[in-house]
Amino acid sequence: MTIHRVEIPDDSEVFGKTVSAFANFGYSAAVRSHGHLFIAGTIGRRADGTIPEDIEEQTEIAIGRIAEILRLEGLDLSALVDVTSYHVDIHQHLPGFSRAKARLVTPPHPTWSLIGVSGLASQGLLVEIRATAAYPDAS
């Protein structure tokens, strides 16, 4: 079984100084196995490490990070097949999340589960998104 771990370059404009979180917390941004790319939960933290107060901006950043991971693997958002997002105060923030998602994730849509949670890893985070993408068939 071949497993490939995606490494985010230290000079990534999208991740900025937050790229150190992968080593600090001991996890990979994404792992490729059996024709799929499993993307770890991504958050809406800016490249400078700050967290926007606005759910739409946090959502845009989180989806942008997923898009960057996909780009590093030669894919784009259309390769997504399954997504789960975790939301603090889901009922309050769902409209803003939905607006940002609609702007960035276009058909064909992946499956998507939304889960309300009481909190995320850092104070101020409102959304975390994990995803699975599929590589095109080699045939």
Side-chain angles (χ1 to χ4, degrees):
M1 169 174 49
T2 303
I3 296 176
H4 166 74
R5 286 165 178 74
V6 176
E7 299 291 330
I8 305 297
D10 288 336
D11 62 350
S12 169
E13 290 183 21
V14 174
F15 285 85
K17 71 179 195 176
T18 68
V19 75
S20 64
F22 301 112
N24 292 345
F25 292 102
Y27 71 101
S28 298
V31 175
R32 179 177 64 215
S33 179
H34 296 284
H36 288 88
L37 183 66
F38 302 92
I39 302 171
T42 62
I43 55 172
R45 188 183 298 270
R46 295 182 185 112
D48 67 4
T50 60
I51 300 171
E53 291 181 20
D54 179 72
I55 184 61
E56 287 190 52
E57 186 177 354
Q58 284 194 32
T59 303
E60 289 168 357
I61 293 168
I63 292 173
R65 287 174 171 228
I66 290 171
E68 175 64 5
I69 292 167
L70 291 166
R71 185 193 68 77
L72 290 170
E73 287 295 298
L75 302 169
D76 60 32
L77 291 171
S78 69
L80 294 175
V81 293
D82 185 52
V83 180
T84 301
S85 51
Y86 303 89
H87 303 262
V88 175
D89 298 324
I90 190 168
H91 298 292
Q92 177 185 346
H93 297 121
L94 192 55
F97 169 82
S98 296
R99 284 190 296 273
K101 177 182 171 284
R103 283 194 304 274
L104 299 169
V105 182
T106 59
H109 293 109
T111 64
W112 201 301
S113 299
L114 294 92
I115 300 171
V117 296
S118 61
L120 295 167
S122 294
Q123 186 71 21
L125 288 175
L126 303 173
V127 66
E128 181 169 335
I129 306 170
R130 66 179 313 277
T132 302
Y135 290 88
D137 291 332
S139 55

